[in-house]
Amino acid sequence: MKSLIWLIDDSHQPNLRAGTVSRIGEPDYATAAGPFVRVTAPRLVKTLRDRAANAHYLGKATITSGDYDVLAFLMTVGPAITMYFDKKSHLLRRSERLLPGIGLVRYDFAGYETVDGVAVSRKLRFYLNGNFNMERQHVAIRVNEPLDEWLVVDENLAAIPELTPDPLTRQEVANGVWLIGGSGTYAMFVDMGDYVFAVGGTAGIPERIASLRKVIGDKPIRFGMVTHHHFDHVLSVAPYAAEAATVMGATVHEPIVRRAAGDGEALRFEGVDGRRTPEAGDRVIEIIDIGPTAHTEHLLVAYLPAEGILFEADHFALPGVGPVPPAVSSTRSLAEVLARSGLSVW
């Protein structure tokens, strides 16, 4: 038998690669669809029209690529979006959004063509605080196709429990090495004797530090390592800076790290080119740039050779429920790096 997926009352999330399907515990269209709407020019324009009551014309703007009409509106979830429409073609060419703690997020839309009467953009470029971050190509675009086949749970998918947020947990994975976090987002804290070396993390670093204090007291956090420059990881910069820690990152990422600090000029920053090995007593921690990988050109990992522990970010994820999914390109590239480097990871 097959059952229909109802958008609100009985929503499901299929994972065709893993062969699983799970219910969505608290389905909400505005939250779930937001990431798709923001990167799909026609859908973003339609959302602007649907929310015309809170939209405002901000005037005209001239930037290097031409003259634009500028509008802004509030989405159902999150800060306002500013949109730049080409005055000649009337096509959406740029959107901007200022996210607290992250900065200015910008999308540029290009490669327009008409599909079934709808102007669609095939190319998307993403910028964070003015720095190029990612480019995406839409290979296939279909407009107004029937959705019936997509609203059915395939009977061959294995049902797994719905995913619920994890409470914040603290695990001592080796003597003096703590992994603190939940729901797939963690930071690692290493007791170096006189100080603590903090590794990685995205949102929620202050809460993780508070949990750490319960077991180490007021021992200072002297270093906070940022794995890479993506917006969800530089969120850790300001909390580490608030601890008076030196923030360590790939040298080429220094401009983005300083912007994320709030007071970039006052930030103590140490760049890593290749490898850096802070030592304290018997503890050795190696900071290694394993890039380029499929995820980013430069990415720092923390390796504890005595413990056989490697902390990395964004190359694979263990699901909260269900089986481990098949490897993707990022996972394979991490495996290749480990094989080349000879790191002994338990």
Side-chain angles (χ1 to χ4, degrees), residues 15 17-18 294-295 314-317 324-336:
N15 186 330
R17 288 179 59 84
H295 188 67
D314 288 354
H315 284 75
F316 70 94
V324 176
V328 297
S329 57
S330 292
T331 310
R332 289 191 292 269
S333 65
L334 176 63
E336 292 168 0

Side-chain angles (χ1 to χ4, degrees), residues 7-9 11 23-32 162-165:
L7 179 62
I8 298 300
D9 296 332
S11 295
R23 289 192 71 256
I24 299 177
E26 297 180 0
D28 175 79
Y29 176 78
T31 301
E162 62 192 61
L163 182 64
T164 57

Side-chain angles (χ1 to χ4, degrees), residues 34-42 44 107 109 121 124 134 136 138:
F36 170 76
V37 168
R38 293 194 297 271
V39 301
T40 312
L44 186 55
Y107 296 103
F109 303 95
S121 167
L124 171 76
M134 177 187 71
R136 189 169 85 181
H138 296 286

Side-chain angles (χ1 to χ4, degrees), residues 157-330:
L157 297 178
I160 60 176
E162 62 192 61
L163 182 64
T164 57
D166 297 331
L168 187 69
T169 61
R170 182 184 62 246
Q171 308 169 60
E172 190 171 10
V173 293
N175 183 34
V177 182
W178 290 274
L179 194 66
I180 304 178
S183 299
T185 303
Y186 295 88
M188 185 173 74
F189 299 90
V190 182
D191 188 343
M192 304 293 287
D194 294 333
Y195 67 93
V196 172
F197 195 108
V199 180
T202 55
I205 289 297
E207 292 78 10
R208 286 149 177 75
I209 292 176
S211 176
L212 178 71
R213 295 287 184 213
K214 294 178 180 179
V215 292
I216 67 161
D218 293 330
K219 186 173 294 189
I221 297 176
R222 189 172 297 171
F223 293 94
M225 190 201 85
V226 179
T227 55
H228 58 299
H229 66 303
H230 290 168
F231 71 92
D232 54 330
H233 290 268
V234 295
L235 286 173
S236 62
V237 174
Y240 289 147
E243 293 287 326
T246 295
V247 174
M248 188 175 290
T251 300
V252 297
H253 295 160
E254 181 176 358
I256 298 175
V257 170
R258 288 195 179 278
R259 287 191 181 95
D263 186 355
E265 293 185 2
L267 178 71
R268 290 195 289 269
F269 178 84
E270 282 195 19
V272 176
D273 292 300
R275 186 182 296 241
R276 181 80 61 94
T277 307
E279 296 186 31
D282 295 331
R283 179 84 73 187
V284 176
I285 180 171
E286 298 182 17
I287 308 304
I288 309 167
D289 185 351
I290 65 169
T293 74
H295 188 67
T296 181
E297 186 173 354
H298 294 273
L299 187 133
L300 301 186
V301 299
Y303 175 55
L304 279 67
E307 293 83 0
I309 293 174
L310 180 81
F311 184 99
E312 65 82 37
D314 288 354
H315 284 75
F316 70 94
L318 295 176
V321 294
V324 176
V328 297
S329 57
S330 292

Side-chain angles (χ1 to χ4, degrees), residues 14-233:
N15 186 330
L16 302 181
R17 288 179 59 84
T20 62
V21 62
S22 62
R23 289 192 71 256
I24 299 177
E26 297 180 0
D28 175 79
Y29 176 78
T31 301
F36 170 76
V37 168
R38 293 194 297 271
V39 301
T40 312
R43 194 65 184 83
L44 186 55
V45 173
K46 184 179 186 301
T47 305
L48 169 66
R49 294 183 61 181
D50 293 342
R51 299 187 60 77
N54 62 40
H56 303 276
Y57 179 64
L58 302 183
K60 301 176 182 178
T62 299
I63 53 182
T64 54
S65 55
D67 297 326
Y68 295 86
D69 287 310
V70 186
L71 294 87
F73 77 101
L74 287 171
M75 292 186 69
T76 306
V77 178
I81 289 182
T82 303
M83 304 167 65
Y84 293 76
F85 290 88
D86 187 285
K87 290 186 68 66
K88 293 181 179 179
S89 66
H90 306 297
L91 294 172
L92 176 64
R93 293 292 185 182
R94 176 177 296 181
S95 71
E96 294 178 337
R97 203 179 202 201
L98 188 62
L99 299 178
I102 296 176
L104 184 65
V105 174
R106 165 184 147 198
Y107 296 103
D108 285 359
F109 303 95
Y112 272 94
E113 64 179 71
T114 300
V115 179
D116 292 340
V118 178
V120 294
S121 167
R122 284 196 176 273
K123 181 182 291 186
L124 171 76
R125 290 176 65 88
F126 171 56
Y127 295 81
L128 176 62
N129 294 318
N131 296 285
F132 173 70
N133 189 281
M134 177 187 71
E135 180 173 293
R136 189 169 85 181
Q137 296 277 353
H138 296 286
V139 177
I141 299 172
R142 293 176 289 180
V143 176
N144 293 331
E145 288 205 350
L147 297 177
D148 294 350
E149 66 175 300
W150 300 104
L151 301 179
V152 174
V153 175
D154 191 314
E155 62 183 359
N156 295 316
L157 297 178
I160 60 176
E162 62 192 61
L163 182 64
T164 57
D166 297 331
L168 187 69
T169 61
R170 182 184 62 246
Q171 308 169 60
E172 190 171 10
V173 293
N175 183 34
V177 182
W178 290 274
L179 194 66
I180 304 178
S183 299
T185 303
Y186 295 88
M188 185 173 74
F189 299 90
V190 182
D191 188 343
M192 304 293 287
D194 294 333
Y195 67 93
V196 172
F197 195 108
V199 180
T202 55
I205 289 297
E207 292 78 10
R208 286 149 177 75
I209 292 176
S211 176
L212 178 71
R213 295 287 184 213
K214 294 178 180 179
V215 292
I216 67 161
D218 293 330
K219 186 173 294 189
I221 297 176
R222 189 172 297 171
F223 293 94
M225 190 201 85
V226 179
T227 55
H228 58 299
H229 66 303
H230 290 168
F231 71 92
D232 54 330
H233 290 268

